[in-house]
Amino acid sequence: MTSAHVTDTTTQLISSYPQFNTLLLDYQVISDLVDPTSVTRFMHQNKLKHLVIANVPSDMNFGHLKRWPNLRGVFIAPSTNEQVMQGLQAIAEGKLWFPRKVTDHWMRHYLATEEHQQSQKSLLTEKEMMVLKLLASGMPLISIAERLFISDATVRVHLHKIYQKIGVKNKQQAMLWSQQHLT
């Protein structure tokens, strides 16, 4: 496929711009017909590096757009061909092309999540942090107990308190949480 008229969503829903290494999807396609795995496969097969989503409604929640692989730009409807071409050129030069509305939404979510994670970490005692870090390293409970000169039962008590404080239910979830938040 070649370049398309972005504002005419009825005739062209998917466009490939090889000169920009970019796949342009109409928002209608991603909400109804396409999943991230098939997009990734198509991009790989066609040697496309960037994904751009066009004709995104301005009144939507932009959070779910982050799940799309290699997303480098978003165009809010209506966008002119000139705006799209300017954005595609910028993306080809290594820049991102997201409207302020989208980045504001993402940053507010990121900051709220970061604040919540920080408050969870601050609830952990120094000993609990040590237990969690050792657990995340893959160390068995017996070895954690030996390393910290405490009993196995005390390690389990620490883990129970840790699970409550960070909002997880088991060792695997705690390990995942620590890998995401303590690195």
Side-chain angles (χ1 to χ4, degrees):
M1 286 185 256
T2 58
S3 55
H5 189 288
V6 176
T7 56
D8 183 3
T9 60
T10 59
T11 59
Q12 190 70 35
L13 298 175
I14 302 174
S15 301
S16 162
Y17 290 84
Q19 71 271 32
F20 298 120
N21 281 332
T22 300
L23 175 64
L24 178 77
L25 293 180
D26 187 289
Y27 181 75
Q28 188 65 39
V29 172
I30 70 165
S31 60
D32 294 340
L33 307 173
V34 182
D35 69 283
T37 305
S38 60
V39 169
T40 301
R41 191 176 14 236
F42 178 83
M43 290 176 68
H44 180 70
Q45 289 169 349
N46 292 282
K47 296 180 174 64
L48 300 171
K49 294 181 180 180
H50 315 294
L51 174 65
V52 174
I53 301 173
N55 294 323
V56 175
S58 64
D59 60 346
M60 67 167 284
N61 176 337
F62 301 107
H64 74 282
L65 293 177
K66 293 185 293 184
R67 72 185 178 104
W68 290 93
N70 303 309
L71 183 63
R72 297 295 182 263
V74 169
F75 294 98
I76 304 252
S79 296
T80 65
N81 281 341
E82 293 77 29
Q83 290 169 326
V84 172
M85 294 311 287
Q86 182 183 7
L88 292 174
Q89 182 63 46
I91 291 166
E93 294 169 3
K95 299 175 184 166
L96 300 176
W97 195 269
F98 295 105
R100 179 72 177 242
K101 201 173 201 180
V102 174
T103 58
D104 281 353
H105 178 87
W106 289 350
M107 283 305 297
R108 288 179 197 283
H109 176 75
Y110 171 78
L111 292 172
T113 302
E114 187 70 21
E115 185 177 292
H116 178 69
Q117 292 167 355
Q118 287 300 323
S119 70
Q120 286 177 316
K121 281 199 297 195
S122 67
L123 294 175
L124 297 176
T125 66
E126 187 176 326
K127 186 71 90 170
E128 289 167 346
M129 286 293 287
M130 290 169 51
V131 169
L132 187 56
K133 286 179 182 177
L134 292 172
L135 180 72
S137 73
M139 190 175 284
L141 298 184
I142 294 171
S143 300
I144 293 172
E146 290 172 358
R147 181 81 160 287
L148 299 177
F149 304 104
I150 57 178
S151 71
D152 295 357
T154 303
V155 171
R156 285 192 292 279
V157 168
H158 282 307
L159 287 175
H160 179 72
K161 290 179 181 178
I162 290 167
Y163 297 167
Q164 289 178 324
K165 290 179 179 182
I166 65 174
V168 299
K169 295 181 181 180
N170 56 44
K171 182 168 66 170
Q172 288 75 25
Q173 289 178 355
M175 291 173 70
L176 180 61
W177 186 93
S178 64
Q179 290 168 353
Q180 293 172 340
H181 301 103
L182 299 181
T183 55

